[in-house]
Amino acid sequence: MSNATQALLLVIEDDPQTRRFLTTALTHRGWRIIEAENGKTGLAKLKTEQPDLIILDLGLPDIDGITLTKRIRHSADLPILILSARSQEQNKIMALDAGADDYLTKPFSTGELQARLQALLRRINRINNSNDLFQSGDLKVDLARRKVFMADNEVRVTPIEYRLLSILIRHADLVVTHRQLLNEVWGAEHINDHHYLRIYMGQLRHKLEINPARPRYLLTEVGVGYRLADNDQSSGLTND
Ligand code: CA
């Protein structure tokens, strides 16, 4: 699957108006859509229809969206985009930690939604093609040789800095929570040691950013985590 016209999207949303809006807007942009009006139907359709991506509303009548995210994640590895009227950071963090890949707060524009879905598709394609080279603007990372380049000059990074960077690359253009990063790099016993992240992200920014105070690559998602900007859209879609 390399473009949206082939991708099948499962929309789990109880509000008929939002569902209709999503289906109309996304069908128009070339996605194939299946709908589910509650969590139970969503889980059933996940099995029978085998979608490529899921859009999930957090406030469902039968199963809480966070619980549903965990259940989906338990059985399938497809990208999950959360849609929610709940804008607090805590909800975003909970959803992302439960295994969601991204989060969009209502109200949102279709352009924004399309951009988020494309980022998720690029992630699938990146995993499937197991690209050995990541490129975003002047940043180039050779994942096979574990080497980092900025404008073709090699940048020396420590093993921990590299680990952080490679996790962000795996989720390029998507937010990764503090907890996810701390857990993957330092282990479960350090998930509250936010200062580790501040120190190492600071170091990475000094090495990779022209102006570390105004980063172009290693972006802060305030209160939630970090996002690596993916400025190379060539592996994405052009049919927008
Ligand atoms: Ca709802």
Side-chain angles (χ1 to χ4, degrees):
M1 177 196 52
S2 62
N3 72 61
T5 52
Q6 295 159 293
L8 184 62
L9 223 159
L10 171 60
V11 175
I12 309 177
E13 162 71 77
D14 61 319
D15 176 45
Q17 217 176 326
T18 309
R19 222 166 50 230
R20 207 158 40 236
F21 166 74
L22 286 170
T23 300
T24 307
L26 292 173
T27 304
H28 181 70
R29 284 167 185 256
W31 299 82
R32 291 185 298 137
I33 309 289
I34 35 176
E35 300 179 12
E37 70 279 10
N38 58 47
K40 228 177 128 192
T41 312
L43 283 173
K45 291 199 173 172
L46 172 63
K47 259 195 203 136
T48 55
E49 311 280 337
Q50 307 208 319
D52 300 301
L53 278 120
I54 291 183
I55 293 182
L56 173 63
D57 172 36
L58 270 195
L60 293 168
D62 57 342
I63 309 174
D64 173 73
I66 302 286
T67 309
L68 189 57
T69 302
K70 286 183 189 157
R71 284 176 65 176
I72 294 169
R73 192 43 82 232
H74 198 70
S75 62
D77 194 29
L78 76 176
I80 303 170
L81 173 68
I82 299 286
L83 278 189
S84 178
R86 308 173 197 169
S87 62
Q88 297 99 318
E89 283 163 9
Q90 198 49 41
N91 287 309
K92 287 187 195 177
I93 294 168
M94 277 169 67
L96 294 166
D97 281 339
D101 295 278
D102 207 356
Y103 194 107
L104 207 52
T105 304
K106 295 173 184 174
F108 53 85
S109 69
T110 43
E112 208 179 343
L113 175 64
Q114 174 78 352
R116 307 277 25 116
L117 290 172
Q118 284 180 336
L120 291 173
L121 261 195
R122 282 199 299 277
R123 183 173 172 219
I124 304 176
N125 289 332
R126 197 175 289 127
I127 290 167
N128 289 347
N129 301 337
S130 59
N131 258 346
D132 283 343
L133 191 72
F134 174 82
Q135 188 159 11
S136 172
D138 284 338
L139 172 66
K140 222 181 277 176
V141 181
D142 182 335
L143 297 160
R145 294 189 300 149
R146 304 169 72 94
K147 285 183 185 296
V148 181
F149 301 88
M150 190 45 85
D152 291 328
N153 298 311
E154 187 174 354
V155 180
R156 295 267 170 203
V157 295
T158 67
I160 285 184
E161 290 165 358
Y162 184 81
R163 184 102 185 88
L164 268 177
L165 187 59
S166 67
I167 295 166
L168 291 167
I169 287 173
R170 212 162 67 225
H171 299 268
D173 229 10
L174 303 168
V175 59
V176 186
T177 65
H178 298 130
R179 192 189 173 93
Q180 283 174 287
L181 288 167
L182 286 163
N183 185 41
E184 283 203 46
V185 177
W186 287 277
E189 64 275 26
H190 292 292
I191 51 172
N192 294 313
D193 293 332
H194 286 209
H195 59 284
Y196 286 15
L197 269 183
R198 274 198 300 276
I199 293 165
Y200 282 90
M201 288 300 291
Q203 287 175 192
L204 259 185
R205 278 181 175 150
H206 271 281
K207 293 181 179 183
L208 303 180
E209 301 284 359
I210 293 169
N211 180 355
R214 302 188 64 180
R216 290 163 60 211
Y217 300 102
L218 301 163
L219 311 179
T220 297
E221 289 278 321
V222 178
V224 179
Y226 296 92
R227 187 193 292 271
L228 177 69
D230 186 355
N231 299 316
D232 177 23
Q233 311 284 310
S234 61
S235 56
L237 306 174
T238 51
N239 64 338
D240 189 5

